[in-house]
Amino acid sequence: MASKVIQALYNDDDVLMHAVKKVRAEHHHIEEVYTPFPVHGLDKAMGLADTRIAITSFLYGCLGLTVAIVMMNYIMIEDWPQDIGGKPSFTYLDNMPAFVPIMFELTVFFAAHLMVITFYLRSKMWPFKKAENPDKRTTDDHFLMELGVHDNENELADLLWETGAVEVKVTEKES
């Protein structure tokens, strides 16, 4: 299903920020903004909710710590106990200080790798996916703001020209 969108191109990030704030003040919904580099404060200006990836990172770290503890307890205490330097491995707690580096490494490993996988899945960025970039110039030096058109095409176009857009066009977008 295709929907009509209006796209405004800007050549400066400060002009884009001003435009986003003005469009939001006029109570129009911004579908997406494409930029060649991260623009500080753009997410707040667009009214996007805070990300919860930090919470998932903490949970993945806890999972990594749990796997490390269970793995080391099984390997070094239950399955193959060793007497190293006259220090027998009777309990996990007696030997835990020696296991701290492994616990730290697996915590970081699980948090980092699972967080990246979660980010890609949440962003729907899987291999061989067709790029959604509507204009190649947004990968170099231009910024694009995309708004949905709901029988207000002329009003939106006038508003976008007022905000300093260098180009405004209406296109059909595949959903």
Side-chain angles (χ1 to χ4, degrees), residues 52-88:
R52 295 184 302 254
I53 199 149
I55 297 168
T56 60
S57 176
F58 175 75
L59 294 174
Y60 293 152
C62 291
L63 175 67
L65 180 64
T66 303
V67 167
I69 290 170
V70 169
M71 178 188 74
M72 289 181 301
N73 184 53
Y74 177 74
I75 292 171
M76 297 299 290
I77 306 302
E78 295 176 17
D79 185 44
W80 196 268
Q82 298 177 26
D83 186 355
I84 301 171
K87 299 176 184 174

Side-chain angles (χ1 to χ4, degrees), residues 10 13-30 32-35 39 41-48 143-147 159-160 163:
Y10 298 90
D13 57 336
D14 292 329
V15 175
L16 172 74
M17 283 294 288
H18 172 71
V20 166
K21 290 174 184 174
K22 187 167 183 176
V23 167
R24 292 256 310 147
E26 296 284 331
H27 304 292
H28 295 290
H29 176 68
I30 299 171
E32 188 66 74
V33 175
Y34 299 90
T35 64
V39 178
L42 184 60
D43 53 341
K44 300 285 187 227
M46 288 178 63
L48 298 177
F143 305 85
L144 187 137
M145 180 171 29
E146 189 174 81
L147 294 92
L159 174 64
L160 293 171
T163 61

Side-chain angles (χ1 to χ4, degrees), residues 8 72 75 90 95 121 126 135 139 147 150 162-163 169:
M72 289 181 301
I75 292 171
F90 291 127
N95 296 308
L121 291 175
W126 39 77
D135 194 314
T139 62
L147 294 92
H150 307 287
E162 287 174 21
T163 61
K169 63 182 176 181

